[in-house]
Amino acid sequence: MVVAMDQRTDVNRDSGAGDRKKEERFDPSAQPPFKIGDIRAAIPKHCWVKSPLRSMSYVVRDIIAVAALAIAAVYFDSWILWPLYWAAQGTLFWAIFVLGHDCGHGSFSDIPLLNSVVGHILHSFILVPYHGWRISHRTHHQNHGHVENDESWVPLPERVYKKLPHSTRMLRYTVPLPMLAYPLYLCYRSPGKEGSHFNPYSSLFAPSERKLIATSTTCWSIMFVTLIALSFIFGPLAVLKVYGVPYIIFVMWLDAVTYLHHHGHDEKLPWYRGKEWSYLRGGLTTIDRDYGIFNNIHHDIGTHVIHHLFPQIPHYHLVDATKAAKHVLGRYYREPKTSGAIPIHLVESLVASIKKDHYVSDTGDIVFYETDPDLYVYASDKSKIN
């Protein structure tokens, strides 16, 4: 009896070890055993329902919060309170961007005119050209995970990376500088790509979209001129304190969050080219993140995998949709690390990724990030010489 029990124990140990080996051998680049229709079928019907009233309630909430913070900051005008105001207001600017982002996807409502009007108001306020951003962001979703065709934080092929001046590489891969890149991206896109989000004749846009781009650029320009006028009326320092610094915080939120949704996981995730790429496989390389107390503030944008696969789902249904789809996704869904109130752990993920995820191979239809071992060594040696 004891021998039999020992034998069963050994078998269980072997079985457990085998299971662990199978888990260790999981290949995130392997063809998933399910189709996108299987995921769609698992999502409850209510998750597809868009409520204009509910969407507008979030807009009203955020606008009231932004106005209240600005009024309080100006009223107290204390250098002790200004840093708290900048952090809070910058975060709310980011929340406003996310609502405009929903307008761009059509998940805000089924009313195109409402989406366009609200999207322009929200995005112009934070100096984002609505249609220019919307169209390039649509390209990002349609080509997520594709080395050449993706649009957001796309990896550089080695040949492009090696052509960059060392100073440009350091700017791109030294925190916090990449977290300030968004305004430059709007004007010039990423290395290896050409075009501007403000130019109706940019290669980003089809000829039929030129009027849309002109409209958004005009709205952006009105906001920019308004800020200049306010600087003359109240002084540039006042505008910098009330609007300028929160805008910088917003840009850092945007760059950090969009980067972390496609980089920085503990295991290396694939990027695709050619016949290996598909909408499903590309979407499965996205990553959910837990932002602690900010999840609700910035409208659950961290629930990103389902959003990328089905961007028409409203933000307030993403959590339910993700819970329902997990059993289909299996190990292709990477459970986010639980955050404390403040997601400090994500800073480590961000910095570590930027320091090691530099470029991908010029060849191959399934590629992974590689590291330039000389990037920071060169900078260190140069500083010693100086």
Side-chain angles (χ1 to χ4, degrees), residues 22 27 30 61 71 107 147 158 174 223 237 259 265 301 316 335 346-347 366-367:
K22 286 180 183 177
D27 180 5
R61 182 191 81 173
I71 292 169
S107 61
V147 174
E158 186 174 6
T174 303
M223 181 61 192
L237 181 59
Y259 183 91
H265 195 263
I301 193 63
Y316 42 82
E335 198 75 41
L346 293 179
V347 176
I366 302 177
V367 293

Side-chain angles (χ1 to χ4, degrees), residues 72-73 76-88 241:
F76 290 106
D77 193 16
S78 166
W79 283 106
I80 297 175
L81 297 178
W82 279 114
L84 296 177
Y85 166 77
W86 294 332
K241 290 193 295 183

Side-chain angles (χ1 to χ4, degrees), residues 81 91 172 223 285 347 359:
L81 297 178
T91 301
R172 185 178 174 90
M223 181 61 192
T285 65
V347 176
Y359 59 83

Side-chain angles (χ1 to χ4, degrees), residues 13-202:
R13 286 200 193 107
D14 293 341
S15 176
D19 290 341
R20 285 193 295 275
K21 286 180 181 178
K22 286 180 183 177
E23 294 230 338
E24 291 170 2
R25 286 199 300 267
F26 173 73
D27 180 5
S29 69
Q31 283 281 3
F34 50 82
K35 299 183 182 301
I36 196 164
D38 299 324
I39 308 172
R40 183 184 289 108
I43 297 174
K45 290 182 179 180
H46 78 270
C47 292
W48 305 92
V49 177
K50 307 166 192 175
S51 168
L53 286 177
R54 185 170 181 181
S55 294
M56 283 301 301
S57 72
Y58 291 107
V59 173
V60 172
R61 182 191 81 173
D62 287 357
I63 289 176
I64 290 174
V66 166
L69 278 176
I71 292 169
V74 171
Y75 177 79
F76 290 106
D77 193 16
S78 166
W79 283 106
I80 297 175
L81 297 178
W82 279 114
L84 296 177
Y85 166 77
W86 294 332
Q89 192 73 296
T91 301
L92 285 175
F93 279 17
W94 164 236
I96 282 177
F97 173 88
V98 175
L99 292 177
H101 159 273
D102 283 6
C103 293
H105 280 300
S107 61
F108 189 85
S109 78
D110 285 321
I111 308 169
L113 180 60
L114 177 64
N115 296 338
S116 183
V117 170
V118 175
H120 271 96
I121 292 171
L122 296 178
H123 274 195
S124 298
F125 174 70
I126 51 175
L127 294 177
V128 175
Y130 174 69
H131 280 310
W133 163 84
R134 178 184 64 80
I135 293 167
S136 74
H137 191 67
R138 180 186 66 197
T139 300
H140 165 53
H141 271 258
Q142 290 174 342
N143 298 277
H144 46 209
H146 193 291
V147 174
E148 279 79 26
N149 298 339
D150 200 346
E151 182 62 30
S152 178
W153 287 111
V154 60
L156 298 181
E158 186 174 6
R159 68 182 182 280
V160 175
Y161 176 84
K162 292 296 174 65
K163 290 179 181 178
L164 294 178
H166 188 268
S167 58
T168 302
R169 296 185 206 174
M170 290 300 296
L171 287 172
R172 185 178 174 90
Y173 299 106
T174 303
V175 177
L177 298 177
M179 300 302 101
L180 300 169
Y182 190 64
L184 294 175
Y185 164 73
L186 290 176
C187 294
Y188 306 108
R189 296 178 75 192
S190 302
K193 295 179 180 287
E194 296 180 352
S196 166
H197 289 76
F198 300 95
N199 183 359
Y201 294 90
S202 169

Side-chain angles (χ1 to χ4, degrees), residues 271-378:
W271 288 80
Y272 300 101
R273 292 188 180 100
K275 64 181 181 180
E276 292 292 346
W277 181 88
S278 70
Y279 182 82
L280 175 59
R281 294 178 83 182
L284 292 176
T285 65
T286 56
I287 307 166
D288 277 12
R289 298 290 189 181
D290 182 1
Y291 294 97
I293 62 172
F294 300 105
N295 287 327
N296 179 266
I297 294 172
H298 65 196
H299 309 295
D300 289 316
I301 193 63
T303 314
H304 211 66
V305 177
I306 290 299
H307 164 68
H308 246 270
L309 293 172
F310 306 106
Q312 63 272 38
I313 294 178
H315 75 265
Y316 42 82
H317 291 319
L318 285 174
V319 172
D320 285 349
T322 299
K323 288 177 181 177
K326 280 183 186 179
H327 75 279
V328 177
L329 297 172
R331 289 208 65 195
Y332 288 87
Y333 178 76
R334 289 160 281 276
E335 198 75 41
K337 182 178 179 181
T338 302
S339 175
I342 307 297
I344 298 173
H345 69 288
L346 293 179
V347 176
E348 181 181 352
S349 298
L350 177 74
V351 173
S353 176
I354 288 176
K355 284 187 174 181
K356 68 181 180 181
D357 295 336
H358 298 152
Y359 59 83
V360 296
S361 173
D362 294 330
T363 60
D365 287 349
I366 302 177
V367 293
F368 297 82
Y369 265 109
E370 299 179 33
T371 302
D372 178 0
D374 299 322
L375 177 61
Y376 302 107
V377 172
Y378 176 89

